[in-house]
Amino acid sequence: KNEVEQSPQNLTAQEGEFITINCSYSVGISALHWLQQHPGGGIVSLFMLSSGKKKHGRLIATINIQEKHSSLHITASHPRDSAVYICAGGGADGLTFGKGTHLIIQP
Amino acid sequence: NAGVTQTPKFQVLKTGQSMTLQCAQDMNHEYMSWYRQDPGMGLRLIHYSVGAGITDQGEVPNGYNVSRSTTEDFPLRLLSAAPSQTSVYFCASSRVTGQYSPLHFGNGTRLTVT
């Protein structure tokens, strides 16, 4: 069974800080998804990557296939970035989800 | 495009009652799925469908039924609600089946079973 581990579980930072959320995954996962869930809200897909790095605005996602590790970075963080960030590993059996990182950015 | 539409947003049921959570997408996506989200746990797959007329079980299928008579709709039925089914339910779709296609989620249904 595929596994996905996220860290940290909770993260509080000040506005403007550089944020890193980590995700480790098991053998059998070949694509990594990053999702964002705002309080009381729906879930939005941010990135899907199977190699290298992707960037969208202030968000950057990287993946190291050899180490089975992915990171989501937020540059110049803002209170509106406060949300739960979820990584999900895609394999032959579908997606396996991490438990999420609860991020709070204080003004 | 509306994307993925889920109804209702909130529902309270008594133990033993049945109900259907509706999910519709207007993106002509092949793949549709239902997840439940519980505190301290990741999203867990209940059932999924890779096309009209085809459904399969996910990780936690017991107590739930699905059908896919059209590409657009994928309702989730609770046959006899139990308190353990209190959860937030998300429907999601993607263009194709498989791990390389981003998922599009509905806004969720918060279900309480008393």
Side-chain angles (χ1 to χ4, degrees):
Chain A
K1 188 174 180 239
N2 289 333
E3 291 182 355
V4 171
E5 296 267 350
Q6 268 185 256
S7 63
Q9 273 190 289
N10 297 286
L11 179 57
T12 299
Q14 296 298 312
E15 182 174 357
E17 284 189 40
F18 181 82
I19 303 299
T20 296
I21 299 170
N22 296 299
C23 182
S24 299
Y25 56 91
S26 60
V27 171
I29 287 173
S30 52
L32 209 291
H33 298 247
W34 282 101
L35 312 170
Q36 180 192 56
Q37 184 175 24
H38 280 287
I43 300 171
V44 174
S45 182
L46 296 174
F47 296 104
M48 190 282 297
L49 63 167
S50 54
S51 65
K53 177 177 165 177
K54 287 190 177 178
K55 184 174 191 288
H56 182 69
R58 294 179 296 104
L59 300 177
I60 304 165
T62 64
I63 189 168
N64 184 318
I65 297 166
Q66 284 74 30
E67 295 186 8
K68 296 189 180 20
H69 181 269
S70 176
S71 293
L72 177 68
H73 305 287
I74 305 174
T75 62
S77 59
H78 190 276
R80 65 175 174 266
D81 297 324
S82 298
V84 176
Y85 292 85
I86 301 168
C87 73
D93 294 336
L95 290 182
T96 301
F97 293 85
K99 293 180 182 178
T101 295
H102 189 195
L103 174 66
I104 297 173
I105 304 295
Q106 294 178 335
Chain B
N1 285 352
V4 178
T5 304
Q6 260 186 262
T7 55
K9 281 199 77 156
F10 301 94
Q11 183 71 50
V12 179
L13 290 178
K14 292 189 187 321
T15 298
Q17 286 185 316
S18 62
M19 79 157 295
T20 299
L21 304 177
Q22 301 292 345
C23 177
Q25 53 90 11
D26 61 359
M27 298 172 282
N28 202 32
H29 283 175
E30 276 185 12
Y31 181 83
M32 296 186 75
S33 51
W34 278 101
Y35 299 89
R36 59 179 290 171
Q37 186 178 42
D38 300 294
M41 305 187 76
L43 288 156
R44 292 182 293 167
L45 180 65
I46 304 171
H47 284 284
Y48 65 96
S49 168
V50 299
I54 307 168
T55 64
D56 208 344
Q57 296 181 348
E59 185 186 350
V60 288
N62 292 342
Y64 308 95
N65 264 3
V66 291
S67 59
R68 183 108 180 257
S69 54
T70 66
T71 301
E72 293 78 21
D73 298 297
F74 190 45
L76 178 73
R77 294 183 192 84
L78 279 70
L79 308 171
S80 177
S84 60
Q85 293 178 305
T86 293
S87 187
V88 181
Y89 292 85
F90 287 95
C91 177
S93 72
S94 62
R95 189 173 56 83
V96 294
T97 304
Q99 60 266 43
Y100 299 109
S101 192
L103 279 174
H104 297 256
F105 286 85
N107 286 329
T109 297
R110 186 173 292 273
L111 175 68
T112 302
V113 182
T114 60

